[in-house]
Amino acid sequence: GMESAGAGSDRLRIVTWNVNGIKSLAVSHRGGLPGVLSSLSADVLCIQETKTTRDVLDSSTATVPGYTSYFSFCRTRKSYSGVCTMVRDSLPTLAAQDGLTGLLPNSGDAVIPG
């Protein structure tokens, strides 16, 4: 099987996936999101088309043991588009920002992991 590179390695496994709804991904795969991340051996998982909102996102979808999750929700249409980046906890994350390096409106929503 594939092994994750993780911190301290010279390799990093980044996986990107258009899931067409993160809730369907979480329930249609054995082991939910933790199972998906394990089977992909992802150090970083970039998910497009999450199609969820902050108010309906549940902790079992948003929180995966061993990873920090960063969500960006569509601000104009409910349950439309949206992205999520899940980063293995062993990898240093300096900052996460909603927007493109401060160039887009509402891009001041930086999250600094603590």
Side-chain angles (χ1 to χ4, degrees):
M2 294 178 282
E3 290 188 27
S4 171
S9 172
D10 60 352
R11 295 181 181 229
L12 181 67
R13 184 166 177 82
I14 300 172
V15 177
T16 181
W17 191 353
N18 184 320
V19 297
N20 196 25
I22 195 168
K23 289 188 180 209
S24 62
L25 172 70
V27 298
S28 66
H29 288 74
R30 184 187 312 204
L33 279 175
V36 168
L37 285 159
S38 176
S39 68
L40 294 173
S41 300
D43 295 307
V44 179
L45 176 60
C46 305
I47 301 172
Q48 297 86 46
E49 300 293 334
T50 57
K51 297 185 177 183
T52 190
T53 57
R54 184 182 309 271
D55 59 325
V56 299
L57 186 65
D58 59 32
S59 63
S60 66
T61 303
T63 306
V64 176
Y67 288 83
T68 300
S69 301
Y70 303 94
F71 284 83
S72 179
F73 307 98
C74 182
R75 297 170 196 263
T76 57
R77 292 176 63 183
K78 187 174 181 160
S79 297
Y80 181 77
S81 60
V83 295
C84 172
T85 303
M86 296 184 166
V87 181
R88 189 178 298 281
D89 286 342
S90 60
L91 298 173
T93 303
L94 303 178
Q97 186 172 349
D98 190 5
L100 295 174
T101 59
L103 299 177
L104 295 179
N106 299 318
S107 61
D109 301 334
V111 176
I112 312 297

XYZ file of all heavy atoms in Angstrom:
828
model
N 0.813 -1.185 0.000
C 0.000 0.000 0.000
C 0.855 1.246 0.000
O 2.071 1.203 0.141
N 0.194 2.371 -0.135
C 0.890 3.650 -0.130
C 1.160 4.058 1.305
O 0.330 3.877 2.176
C 0.034 4.713 -0.805
C -0.183 4.463 -2.265
S -1.252 5.722 -2.988
C -2.851 5.164 -2.433
N 2.323 4.615 1.526
C 2.636 5.119 2.849
C 2.706 6.622 2.805
O 3.182 7.210 1.851
C 3.964 4.544 3.337
C 3.875 3.066 3.642
C 5.130 2.556 4.308
O 5.801 3.351 4.975
O 5.417 1.371 4.166
N 2.219 7.241 3.860
C 2.264 8.692 3.954
C 3.689 9.140 4.210
O 4.442 8.484 4.912
C 1.354 9.140 5.102
O 1.529 10.496 5.352
N 4.051 10.250 3.633
C 5.393 10.779 3.837
C 5.501 11.396 5.220
O 6.386 11.063 5.991
C 5.720 11.806 2.759
N 4.592 12.302 5.547
C 4.564 12.920 6.863
C 5.753 13.822 7.121
O 6.633 14.001 6.299
N 5.759 14.414 8.308
C 6.821 15.334 8.693
C 8.142 14.588 8.807
O 8.191 13.429 9.182
C 6.473 16.011 10.018
N 9.207 15.255 8.457
C 10.525 14.650 8.549
C 10.914 13.880 7.301
O 12.014 13.362 7.212
N 10.037 13.789 6.345
C 10.306 13.077 5.108
C 10.569 14.086 3.998
O 10.203 15.244 4.104
C 9.096 12.212 4.739
O 9.271 11.652 3.456
N 11.213 13.641 2.941
C 11.431 14.541 1.817
C 10.296 14.431 0.803
O 10.368 14.995 -0.281
C 12.780 14.285 1.154
C 12.897 12.859 0.610
O 12.002 12.037 0.874
O 13.882 12.586 -0.078
N 9.243 13.702 1.137
C 8.085 13.553 0.260
C 6.821 13.965 0.994
O 6.676 13.737 2.181
C 7.946 12.115 -0.215
C 9.093 11.701 -1.081
C 8.908 10.288 -1.546
N 10.043 9.918 -2.353
C 9.949 9.352 -3.530
N 8.772 9.063 -4.027
N 11.019 9.052 -4.208
N 5.920 14.530 0.221
C 4.652 14.974 0.766
C 3.559 14.516 -0.188
O 3.624 14.766 -1.388
C 4.651 16.506 0.867
C 3.423 17.171 1.446
C 3.284 16.825 2.939
C 3.535 18.687 1.285
N 2.552 13.832 0.332
C 1.470 13.324 -0.520
C 0.280 14.271 -0.419
O -0.388 14.363 0.615
C 1.075 11.927 -0.093
C 0.034 11.322 -1.008
C -0.086 9.834 -0.757
N -1.114 9.244 -1.558
C -0.977 8.873 -2.825
N 0.181 9.040 -3.415
N -1.970 8.338 -3.479
N 0.015 14.993 -1.516
C -1.107 15.921 -1.601
C -2.132 15.322 -2.557
O -1.803 14.966 -3.684
C -0.652 17.302 -2.107
C 0.400 17.881 -1.149
C -1.847 18.243 -2.252
C 1.043 19.151 -1.651
N -3.370 15.201 -2.087
C -4.439 14.628 -2.889
C -5.525 15.688 -3.052
O -5.889 16.362 -2.094
C -5.031 13.375 -2.202
C -6.194 12.814 -2.998
C -3.953 12.318 -1.980
N -6.030 15.838 -4.263
C -7.134 16.754 -4.525
C -8.300 15.961 -5.100
O -8.094 15.029 -5.868
C -6.687 17.903 -5.465
O -7.796 18.780 -5.662
C -6.148 17.400 -6.770
N -9.531 16.324 -4.698
C -10.683 15.526 -5.076
C -11.930 16.406 -5.135
O -12.250 17.101 -4.176
C -10.884 14.434 -4.036
C -11.854 13.343 -4.369
C -12.694 13.257 -5.432
C -12.089 12.173 -3.591
N -13.428 12.108 -5.380
C -13.073 11.419 -4.257
C -11.573 11.693 -2.393
C -13.558 10.215 -3.766
C -12.043 10.494 -1.903
C -13.013 9.751 -2.588
N -12.630 16.367 -6.250
C -13.922 17.019 -6.387
C -14.959 15.993 -5.938
O -15.235 15.038 -6.647
C -14.172 17.450 -7.835
C -15.462 18.224 -7.971
O -16.475 17.897 -7.362
N -15.431 19.257 -8.792
N -15.516 16.183 -4.752
C -16.355 15.151 -4.140
C -17.845 15.306 -4.416
O -18.621 14.409 -4.121
C -16.129 15.076 -2.610
C -14.709 14.689 -2.300
C -16.530 16.377 -1.926
N -18.267 16.468 -4.941
C -19.681 16.707 -5.210
C -20.527 16.487 -3.958
O -21.560 15.839 -4.000
C -20.167 15.848 -6.369
C -21.497 16.330 -6.916
O -21.829 17.496 -6.780
N -22.257 15.434 -7.513
N -20.055 17.006 -2.829
C -20.779 16.912 -1.562
C -19.995 16.138 -0.524
O -19.844 14.927 -0.644
N -19.493 16.830 0.492
C -18.646 16.176 1.501
C -19.450 15.210 2.367
O -18.930 14.196 2.814
C -17.892 17.215 2.364
C -16.766 16.528 3.129
C -18.837 17.972 3.274
C -15.784 17.480 3.769
N -20.724 15.482 2.578
C -21.522 14.563 3.401
C -21.684 13.216 2.726
O -21.617 12.182 3.376
C -22.870 15.182 3.729
C -22.734 16.322 4.701
C -24.066 16.804 5.181
C -23.810 17.933 6.145
N -24.804 18.069 7.149
N -21.884 13.206 1.406
C -22.007 11.925 0.707
C -20.683 11.176 0.738
O -20.658 9.951 0.842
C -22.490 12.121 -0.728
O -21.566 12.884 -1.467
N -19.581 11.894 0.671
C -18.269 11.254 0.764
C -18.099 10.605 2.137
O -17.656 9.470 2.250
C -17.155 12.288 0.539
C -15.737 11.805 0.801
C -15.299 10.813 -0.269
C -14.778 12.982 0.848
N -18.498 11.319 3.166
C -18.315 10.823 4.528
C -19.149 9.581 4.822
O -18.724 8.713 5.571
C -18.648 11.929 5.531
N -20.333 9.469 4.204
C -21.183 8.314 4.499
C -21.041 7.179 3.493
O -21.380 6.038 3.799
C -22.678 8.709 4.616
C -22.894 9.675 5.758
C -23.215 9.271 3.327
N -20.526 7.462 2.299
C -20.477 6.413 1.274
C -19.187 5.605 1.285
O -19.089 4.603 0.594
C -20.676 7.032 -0.115
O -19.595 7.879 -0.432
N -18.218 6.005 2.061
C -16.952 5.275 2.107
C -16.774 4.651 3.479
O -17.064 5.274 4.505
C -15.784 6.214 1.806
C -15.740 6.618 0.365
N -16.617 7.520 -0.174
C -14.931 6.216 -0.643
C -16.356 7.673 -1.454
N -15.344 6.898 -1.770
N -16.276 3.438 3.483
C -16.064 2.721 4.736
C -15.142 3.532 5.650
O -14.085 3.975 5.230
C -15.433 1.363 4.471
C -15.277 0.541 5.727
C -14.514 -0.711 5.494
N -15.022 -1.426 4.322
C -14.873 -2.714 4.144
N -14.244 -3.422 5.019
N -15.331 -3.278 3.059
N -15.571 3.745 6.852
C -14.767 4.478 7.811
C -14.902 5.986 7.703
O -14.182 6.717 8.363
N -15.823 6.465 6.864
C -16.042 7.903 6.737
C -14.784 8.633 6.285
O -13.916 8.051 5.632
N -14.673 9.896 6.637
C -13.502 10.670 6.232
C -12.193 10.121 6.783
O -11.189 10.100 6.071
C -13.671 12.142 6.618
C -14.510 12.956 5.650
C -14.727 14.376 6.172
C -13.861 13.014 4.285
N -12.158 9.646 8.044
C -10.901 9.042 8.506
C -10.485 7.859 7.631
O -9.305 7.694 7.304
C -11.216 8.596 9.938
C -12.302 9.503 10.380
C -13.128 9.753 9.137
N -11.449 7.056 7.201
C -11.156 5.926 6.325
C -10.660 6.370 4.961
O -9.747 5.770 4.390
N -11.271 7.441 4.430
C -10.841 7.992 3.141
C -9.394 8.479 3.245
O -8.554 8.146 2.406
C -11.769 9.143 2.695
C -11.171 9.906 1.531
C -13.146 8.607 2.342
N -9.100 9.248 4.270
C -7.746 9.777 4.437
C -6.728 8.662 4.618
O -5.633 8.708 4.071
C -7.688 10.754 5.608
C -8.315 12.112 5.298
C -8.704 12.835 6.567
C -7.374 12.948 4.471
N -7.106 7.640 5.349
C -6.213 6.508 5.551
C -5.961 5.766 4.237
O -4.821 5.430 3.903
C -6.807 5.560 6.592
O -5.995 4.419 6.736
N -7.020 5.520 3.477
C -6.842 4.772 2.230
C -6.074 5.566 1.185
O -5.374 4.986 0.356
C -8.196 4.330 1.670
O -8.944 5.439 1.234
N -6.179 6.893 1.227
C -5.444 7.736 0.279
C -4.015 8.021 0.738
O -3.209 8.524 -0.035
C -6.173 9.070 0.077
C -7.530 9.012 -0.599
C -8.194 10.387 -0.575
C -7.396 8.503 -2.025
N -3.718 7.727 1.991
C -2.419 8.047 2.589
C -2.057 9.510 2.367
O -0.924 9.860 2.052
C -1.324 7.153 2.019
O -1.592 5.806 2.271
N -3.050 10.372 2.526
C -2.862 11.796 2.243
C -2.250 12.529 3.422
O -2.693 12.374 4.555
C -4.201 12.433 1.887
N -1.219 13.324 3.129
C -0.701 14.269 4.116
C -1.549 15.534 4.079
O -1.815 16.152 5.098
C 0.761 14.607 3.816
C 1.660 13.394 3.969
O 1.619 12.763 5.037
O 2.381 13.070 3.015
N -1.972 15.905 2.863
C -2.856 17.047 2.650
C -3.949 16.592 1.691
O -3.656 16.048 0.629
C -2.101 18.256 2.049
C -3.051 19.420 1.805
C -0.935 18.676 2.943
N -5.208 16.805 2.078
C -6.335 16.486 1.205
C -7.057 17.783 0.886
O -7.506 18.487 1.790
C -7.294 15.505 1.876
C -8.572 15.157 1.102
C -8.253 14.518 -0.248
C -9.476 14.243 1.937
N -7.142 18.113 -0.397
C -7.841 19.307 -0.875
C -9.154 18.856 -1.495
O -9.149 18.142 -2.496
C -6.993 20.050 -1.908
S -5.347 20.480 -1.313
N -10.257 19.250 -0.888
C -11.578 18.808 -1.327
C -12.315 19.981 -1.961
O -12.410 21.050 -1.359
C -12.401 18.261 -0.142
C -11.674 17.091 0.526
C -13.789 17.850 -0.588
C -12.329 16.632 1.810
N -12.833 19.768 -3.180
C -13.641 20.779 -3.840
C -15.103 20.337 -3.850
O -15.394 19.161 -3.789
C -13.196 21.000 -5.298
C -11.787 21.523 -5.455
C -10.775 20.398 -5.460
O -10.947 19.392 -6.127
N -9.718 20.562 -4.701
N -15.990 21.336 -3.980
C -17.435 21.098 -4.047
C -17.947 20.399 -2.780
O -18.639 19.384 -2.844
C -17.821 20.290 -5.296
C -17.456 20.952 -6.594
C -18.229 22.237 -6.882
O -19.355 22.398 -6.376
O -17.683 23.082 -7.603
N -17.606 20.954 -1.622
C -18.082 20.386 -0.364
C -19.600 20.515 -0.230
O -20.235 19.693 0.420
C -17.408 21.054 0.844
O -17.636 22.459 0.791
C -15.927 20.749 0.877
N -20.158 21.561 -0.826
C -21.609 21.781 -0.841
C -22.224 21.687 0.549
O -23.200 20.973 0.779
C -22.299 20.822 -1.810
C -21.860 21.044 -3.235
C -22.624 20.197 -4.213
C -22.168 20.528 -5.627
N -22.911 19.791 -6.633
N -21.643 22.436 1.472
C -22.175 22.480 2.830
C -22.066 23.900 3.356
O -21.468 24.759 2.721
C -21.441 21.476 3.743
O -22.147 21.378 4.985
C -20.002 21.878 4.010
N -22.656 24.131 4.500
C -22.567 25.427 5.163
C -22.104 25.216 6.594
O -22.220 24.111 7.140
C -23.936 26.144 5.173
O -24.895 25.298 5.809
C -24.405 26.468 3.753
N -21.599 26.265 7.180
C -21.085 26.178 8.545
C -22.162 25.698 9.513
O -21.881 24.903 10.409
C -20.555 27.547 8.981
C -19.916 27.564 10.352
C -19.462 28.947 10.763
N -18.650 29.603 9.769
C -17.325 29.514 9.680
N -16.676 28.772 10.534
N -16.676 30.170 8.753
N -23.389 26.137 9.325
C -24.441 25.802 10.284
C -24.909 24.348 10.214
O -25.490 23.843 11.169
C -25.640 26.754 10.134
C -26.258 26.740 8.754
O -25.523 26.580 7.772
O -27.496 26.894 8.653
N -24.672 23.654 9.098
C -25.096 22.245 9.012
C -23.914 21.269 9.045
O -24.124 20.064 9.093
C -25.962 21.966 7.762
C -27.234 22.781 7.784
C -25.180 22.205 6.490
N -22.708 21.782 9.048
C -21.526 20.917 9.089
C -21.408 20.295 10.478
O -21.366 21.008 11.484
C -20.277 21.744 8.771
C -18.971 20.989 8.634
C -19.019 20.049 7.440
C -17.825 21.977 8.479
N -21.389 18.964 10.538
C -21.305 18.313 11.847
C -19.852 17.972 12.188
O -18.984 17.928 11.325
C -22.200 17.076 11.915
C -21.868 16.033 10.868
O -20.688 15.906 10.480
O -22.785 15.327 10.430
N -19.615 17.726 13.463
C -18.241 17.512 13.926
C -17.618 16.244 13.350
O -16.408 16.179 13.143
C -18.176 17.492 15.454
O -18.931 16.418 15.965
N -18.426 15.219 13.058
C -17.848 13.987 12.507
C -17.322 14.200 11.093
O -16.440 13.479 10.636
C -18.870 12.851 12.532
O -19.940 13.134 11.655
N -17.852 15.196 10.394
C -17.362 15.527 9.066
C -16.233 16.551 9.149
O -15.244 16.470 8.431
C -18.505 16.081 8.187
O -19.552 15.112 8.139
C -18.028 16.382 6.779
N -16.371 17.517 10.030
C -15.406 18.614 10.122
C -14.130 18.231 10.861
O -13.071 18.789 10.610
C -16.042 19.813 10.809
N -14.228 17.257 11.766
C -13.099 16.913 12.620
C -12.643 15.490 12.329
O -13.406 14.541 12.525
C -13.499 17.026 14.108
O -14.033 18.322 14.332
C -12.308 16.804 15.011
N -11.414 15.353 11.853
C -10.837 14.043 11.583
C -9.599 13.902 12.471
O -8.691 14.725 12.383
C -10.453 13.889 10.097
C -9.774 12.560 9.851
C -11.690 14.026 9.223
N -9.565 12.902 13.347
C -8.402 12.729 14.223
C -7.101 12.668 13.423
O -7.007 11.978 12.409
C -8.677 11.390 14.925
C -10.164 11.227 14.861
C -10.576 11.858 13.553
N -6.116 13.447 13.859
C -4.813 13.471 13.208
C -4.680 14.522 12.129
O -3.615 14.675 11.537
N -5.776 15.263 11.862
C -5.771 16.298 10.821
C -6.390 17.586 11.351
O -7.252 17.559 12.226
C -6.583 15.853 9.593
C -5.910 14.771 8.792
C -6.011 13.436 9.164
C -5.153 15.076 7.669
C -5.386 12.436 8.437
C -4.525 14.084 6.932
C -4.641 12.770 7.324
O -4.015 11.796 6.605
N -5.958 18.703 10.782
C -6.607 19.987 11.015
C -7.345 20.341 9.734
O -6.778 20.240 8.645
C -5.571 21.077 11.356
O -4.856 20.684 12.537
C -6.241 22.417 11.601
N -8.619 20.738 9.871
C -9.464 21.022 8.712
C -9.713 22.516 8.581
O -9.985 23.196 9.565
C -10.816 20.313 8.864
O -10.638 18.932 8.981
N -9.641 22.988 7.338
C -9.911 24.382 7.019
C -10.995 24.414 5.950
O -10.800 23.896 4.860
C -8.648 25.078 6.500
C -7.490 25.007 7.468
C -6.540 23.996 7.364
C -7.365 25.934 8.495
C -5.480 23.914 8.250
C -6.307 25.858 9.394
C -5.374 24.850 9.267
O -4.333 24.770 10.156
N -12.142 25.014 6.266
C -13.267 25.075 5.341
C -13.468 26.497 4.835
O -13.252 27.456 5.567
C -14.567 24.625 6.036
C -14.680 23.147 6.217
C -14.075 22.512 7.292
C -15.397 22.386 5.310
C -14.181 21.138 7.452
C -15.514 21.018 5.464
C -14.906 20.391 6.528
N -13.901 26.600 3.594
C -14.337 27.871 3.026
C -15.699 27.622 2.399
O -15.853 26.725 1.564
C -13.342 28.368 1.977
O -13.802 29.591 1.419
N -16.691 28.393 2.820
C -18.070 28.198 2.379
C -18.453 29.278 1.373
O -17.987 30.405 1.452
C -19.020 28.267 3.576
C -18.639 27.346 4.691
C -17.925 27.813 5.779
C -18.975 26.010 4.644
C -17.564 26.964 6.812
C -18.625 25.150 5.675
C -17.911 25.631 6.755
N -19.338 28.925 0.457
C -19.861 29.895 -0.494
C -20.656 30.941 0.291
O -21.503 30.591 1.105
C -20.748 29.214 -1.535
S -21.370 30.355 -2.774
N -20.376 32.205 0.040
C -21.029 33.280 0.797
C -22.314 33.764 0.148
O -23.057 34.523 0.756
C -20.065 34.449 0.957
C -18.832 34.084 1.750
C -17.810 35.195 1.684
N -16.506 34.732 2.095
C -16.015 34.887 3.308
N -16.700 35.496 4.225
N -14.814 34.437 3.590
N -22.579 33.347 -1.089
C -23.739 33.877 -1.799
C -24.836 32.846 -2.045
O -25.979 33.216 -2.210
C -23.320 34.474 -3.160
O -22.649 33.474 -3.927
C -22.391 35.664 -2.960
N -24.504 31.577 -2.080
C -25.506 30.531 -2.332
C -25.346 29.411 -1.312
O -24.258 28.863 -1.173
C -25.357 29.961 -3.735
C -25.722 30.970 -4.815
C -25.487 30.453 -6.199
N -26.312 29.286 -6.510
C -26.232 28.618 -7.654
N -25.374 28.986 -8.584
N -27.004 27.581 -7.889
N -26.425 29.077 -0.633
C -26.376 28.032 0.392
C -26.078 26.664 -0.228
O -26.655 26.303 -1.255
C -27.702 27.996 1.148
C -27.685 27.055 2.326
C -28.954 27.152 3.129
C -28.850 26.204 4.298
N -29.743 26.499 5.364
N -25.202 25.917 0.389
C -24.821 24.568 -0.040
C -24.349 24.517 -1.480
O -24.650 23.589 -2.233
C -25.976 23.582 0.186
O -26.262 23.492 1.561
N -23.574 25.533 -1.877
C -23.046 25.615 -3.234
C -21.532 25.688 -3.173
O -20.978 26.391 -2.331
C -23.602 26.864 -3.921
C -23.147 27.056 -5.342
C -23.709 26.304 -6.371
C -22.163 27.977 -5.653
C -23.299 26.479 -7.678
C -21.752 28.158 -6.962
C -22.317 27.406 -7.963
O -21.916 27.572 -9.243
N -20.891 24.967 -4.011
C -19.429 24.883 -4.113
C -18.794 24.700 -2.733
O -19.195 23.835 -2.000
C -18.840 26.032 -4.921
O -19.095 27.290 -4.394
N -17.786 25.457 -2.379
C -17.101 25.305 -1.106
C -15.906 24.371 -1.213
O -15.893 23.458 -2.049
N -14.907 24.639 -0.389
C -13.697 23.821 -0.377
C -13.267 23.525 1.057
O -13.661 24.203 1.993
C -12.527 24.509 -1.132
C -12.844 24.661 -2.613
C -12.191 25.849 -0.512
N -12.453 22.502 1.187
C -11.885 22.125 2.475
C -10.470 21.621 2.244
O -10.214 20.901 1.278
C -12.721 21.036 3.130
S -11.978 20.353 4.627
N -9.574 22.002 3.121
C -8.217 21.467 3.105
C -7.974 20.804 4.448
O -8.182 21.414 5.494
C -7.179 22.588 2.872
O -7.490 23.266 1.654
C -5.775 22.027 2.798
N -7.567 19.545 4.408
C -7.248 18.797 5.624
C -5.758 18.524 5.626
O -5.227 17.948 4.675
C -8.048 17.492 5.673
C -9.523 17.722 5.770
S -10.447 16.185 5.946
C -12.021 16.825 6.461
N -5.100 18.943 6.699
C -3.642 18.855 6.797
C -3.282 17.970 7.984
O -3.769 18.175 9.100
C -3.019 20.260 6.984
C -1.501 20.173 7.073
C -3.451 21.199 5.856
N -2.404 17.005 7.727
C -1.952 16.112 8.794
C -1.341 16.942 9.927
O -0.570 17.875 9.686
C -0.920 15.125 8.247
C -0.550 14.024 9.224
C 0.440 13.043 8.626
N -0.084 12.335 7.466
C -0.911 11.300 7.518
N -1.334 10.857 8.679
N -1.311 10.704 6.413
N -1.713 16.640 11.171
C -1.255 17.413 12.329
C 0.264 17.464 12.459
O 0.805 18.419 13.016
C -1.847 16.849 13.621
C -3.325 17.192 13.783
O -3.809 18.132 13.108
O -3.992 16.506 14.574
N 0.959 16.460 11.944
C 2.420 16.433 12.079
C 3.111 17.416 11.135
O 4.325 17.611 11.240
C 2.945 15.015 11.823
O 2.605 14.600 10.510
N 2.359 18.046 10.236
C 2.937 19.015 9.307
C 2.702 20.427 9.828
O 1.585 20.764 10.207
C 2.310 18.872 7.915
C 2.540 17.534 7.244
C 1.728 17.443 5.966
C 4.012 17.349 6.943
N 3.715 21.251 9.822
C 3.532 22.628 10.318
C 2.686 23.453 9.346
O 2.956 23.476 8.154
C 4.960 23.168 10.395
C 5.749 22.332 9.447
C 5.081 20.987 9.410
N 1.647 24.081 9.863
C 0.824 24.996 9.083
C 1.040 26.386 9.656
O 0.732 26.627 10.821
C -0.668 24.616 9.160
O -0.814 23.280 8.705
C -1.517 25.539 8.323
N 1.581 27.280 8.860
C 1.872 28.624 9.343
C 0.633 29.493 9.399
O 0.451 30.280 10.318
C 2.941 29.278 8.473
C 4.258 28.500 8.379
C 5.231 29.220 7.457
C 4.854 28.295 9.761
N -0.251 29.373 8.400
C -1.499 30.137 8.369
C -2.391 29.550 7.284
O -1.908 28.932 6.339
C -1.231 31.612 8.093
N -3.685 29.781 7.426
C -4.656 29.411 6.396
C -5.536 30.625 6.188
O -5.941 31.271 7.150
C -5.473 28.206 6.846
N -5.824 30.930 4.939
C -6.564 32.149 4.641
C -7.667 31.881 3.641
O -7.477 31.149 2.675
C -5.601 33.194 4.082
C -6.229 34.543 3.878
C -5.206 35.600 3.519
O -4.006 35.368 3.626
N -5.661 36.739 3.102
N -8.826 32.481 3.886
C -9.957 32.382 2.982
C -9.808 33.484 1.941
O -9.962 34.650 2.242
C -11.248 32.537 3.778
C -12.484 32.202 2.980
O -12.365 31.764 1.837
O -13.580 32.409 3.516
N -9.455 33.116 0.718
C -9.194 34.086 -0.338
C -7.811 33.844 -0.914
O -7.120 32.910 -0.532
N -7.415 34.677 -1.847
C -6.103 34.536 -2.479
C -5.134 35.569 -1.934
O -5.131 36.718 -2.382
C -6.217 34.676 -4.001
C -7.019 33.601 -4.709
C -7.167 33.933 -6.184
C -6.356 32.257 -4.539
N -4.350 35.184 -0.961
C -3.303 36.027 -0.362
C -3.721 37.474 -0.160
O -2.986 38.398 -0.463
C -2.004 35.976 -1.194
O -2.267 36.435 -2.527
C -1.424 34.590 -1.217
N -4.938 37.657 0.332
C -5.401 38.992 0.655
C -5.906 39.799 -0.520
O -6.221 40.975 -0.373
N -6.010 39.212 -1.705
C -6.416 39.960 -2.888
C -7.917 39.982 -3.126
O -8.408 40.808 -3.880
C -5.715 39.400 -4.133
C -4.197 39.477 -4.113
C -3.615 38.824 -5.359
C -3.731 40.921 -4.007
N -8.660 39.057 -2.515
C -10.097 38.991 -2.736
C -10.848 39.647 -1.574
O -10.352 39.702 -0.454
C -10.547 37.534 -2.861
C -10.003 36.763 -4.060
C -10.506 35.331 -4.029
C -10.433 37.438 -5.362
N -12.080 40.122 -1.839
C -12.889 40.654 -0.736
C -13.074 39.587 0.345
O -13.111 38.403 0.050
C -14.229 40.973 -1.399
C -13.930 41.075 -2.860
C -12.753 40.165 -3.122
N -13.190 40.011 1.564
C -13.360 39.113 2.712
C -12.182 38.180 2.898
O -12.307 37.103 3.438
C -14.645 38.273 2.575
C -15.871 39.131 2.508
O -15.994 40.112 3.238
N -16.770 38.805 1.609
N -11.004 38.578 2.450
C -9.854 37.688 2.548
C -9.114 37.852 3.867
O -8.102 37.221 4.084
C -8.891 37.946 1.388
O -8.416 39.275 1.440
N -9.626 38.658 4.750
C -8.967 38.841 6.026
C -9.293 37.751 7.030
O -8.974 37.864 8.202
N -9.939 36.687 6.588
C -10.349 35.619 7.495
C -9.248 34.591 7.683
O -9.427 33.412 7.449
C -11.606 34.923 6.947
C -12.768 35.876 6.773
O -12.804 36.891 7.490
O -13.630 35.598 5.933
N -8.076 35.036 8.076
C -6.959 34.118 8.270
C -7.147 33.337 9.555
O -7.633 33.834 10.539
C -5.637 34.883 8.300
N -6.740 32.081 9.517
C -6.749 31.218 10.691
C -5.310 30.871 10.992
O -4.600 30.330 10.145
C -7.553 29.920 10.435
C -7.453 29.000 11.629
C -8.988 30.240 10.092
N -4.857 31.214 12.179
C -3.496 30.904 12.595
C -3.583 29.748 13.589
O -4.099 29.930 14.689
C -2.787 32.106 13.245
C -2.955 33.371 12.404
C -1.337 31.789 13.544
C -2.347 33.318 11.040
N -3.151 28.538 13.187
C -3.241 27.391 14.109
C -2.437 27.669 15.381
O -1.378 28.271 15.332
C -2.626 26.240 13.316
C -2.627 26.685 11.898
C -2.550 28.178 11.923
N -2.987 27.215 16.504
C -2.332 27.481 17.771
C -1.809 26.329 18.408
O -1.566 25.367 18.629
